[in-house]
Amino acid sequence: MQPLLRILFSLFLVVAPVAVAAAESDPHAADRQALIKLFREMEAAINAQDVDRMIAQMHPQVTVTWLNGEVSRGHDEVRAYYDKMVRGEKRILERYLTTAKLGKPARFFGNGEVAVADGTMKDEFFPVARGPFSLDSNWTSTSAKVGDRWQVVSMHLSSNVFTNSLLAEAERAIWYVGAGAGIGGMLLGGLLGWRLGWRRRS
């Protein structure tokens, strides 16, 4: 056997039992894989601007608290919110993209039929009335195993209201306005002083 093949085979003999033991020690291993698949499908649906695909991962009685604090209960309200924000004639956004990450492995409750997970998102918004902006946010999700299928029953989205890109942008705008007003005041004061001096001399 070639030296490289011997090394790879030795590594396999070491790693394989560890992987098998880890799978056997976690009774929720298969459920974790199903939940990751569900979350990735949700992420893909959001990035595809496909609300029906997103709703397909949710329980009919789902509750979602959105980033702006609005709450949607049930498929119809989730669809109505999405239409208002992204698809309607008076929509606020042209599109919305996200990259989600899982914080820690899901925790299971109720005989393993309820799972709670949380993580972070890097969001990109493309508003109708202004340029795009990015926002870091957090998510918490509760899923339930209904029959043999996992579904999202509750999702909460939130962002830091004290430090975020929109606040930083507003602070920069205030600074620019203040600086502009100060410079304008100095120019106006200089102009008035020059005119008063010219009148006195004349």
Side-chain angles (χ1 to χ4, degrees), residues 1 5 7 11 18 31 34 57 68 71 73 82 85-86 97 107-108 122 128 134 136 153 159-160 168 189 200:
M1 184 180 292
L5 291 178
I7 293 172
L11 287 173
V18 174
D31 291 316
Q57 310 307 314
N68 65 350
V71 179
R73 299 177 180 87
Y82 193 87
M85 296 296 291
V86 183
L97 303 176
R107 286 91 65 204
F108 290 84
K122 289 191 174 295
V128 173
S134 300
D136 292 335
V153 296
S159 185
N160 189 334
R200 287 172 184 168

Side-chain angles (χ1 to χ4, degrees), residues 24-97:
E24 291 177 349
S25 65
D26 183 4
H28 303 297
D31 291 316
R32 293 189 194 283
Q33 292 301 315
L35 287 168
I36 290 174
K37 183 178 179 181
L38 182 156
F39 294 142
R40 291 307 171 207
E41 180 64 14
M42 288 276 289
E43 179 186 49
I46 291 171
N47 291 333
Q49 316 302 304
D50 191 339
V51 66
D52 293 319
R53 183 178 172 185
M54 179 172 62
I55 286 174
Q57 310 307 314
M58 298 178 172
H59 189 273
Q61 298 180 43
V62 67
T63 297
V64 181
T65 301
W66 305 98
L67 277 172
N68 65 350
E70 289 191 46
V71 179
S72 298
R73 299 177 180 87
H75 287 181
D76 290 343
E77 290 189 11
V78 170
R79 185 178 286 105
Y81 175 86
Y82 193 87
D83 287 346
K84 178 184 72 173
M85 296 296 291
V86 183
R87 299 204 302 193
E89 291 184 2
K90 297 181 180 180
R91 64 188 180 278
I92 296 173
L93 302 172
E94 290 290 352
R95 59 193 173 112
Y96 157 55
L97 303 176

Side-chain angles (χ1 to χ4, degrees), residues 119-156:
T120 59
M121 296 187 299
K122 289 191 174 295
D123 304 314
E124 292 182 80
F125 298 92
F126 298 83
V128 173
R130 52 153 291 164
F133 65 92
S134 300
L135 194 66
D136 292 335
S137 56
N138 298 283
W139 60 269
T140 301
S141 177
T142 301
S143 301
K145 196 171 187 179
V146 182
D148 60 350
R149 181 168 174 257
W150 284 97
Q151 294 179 302
V152 176
V153 296
S154 178
M155 180 169 286
H156 191 108

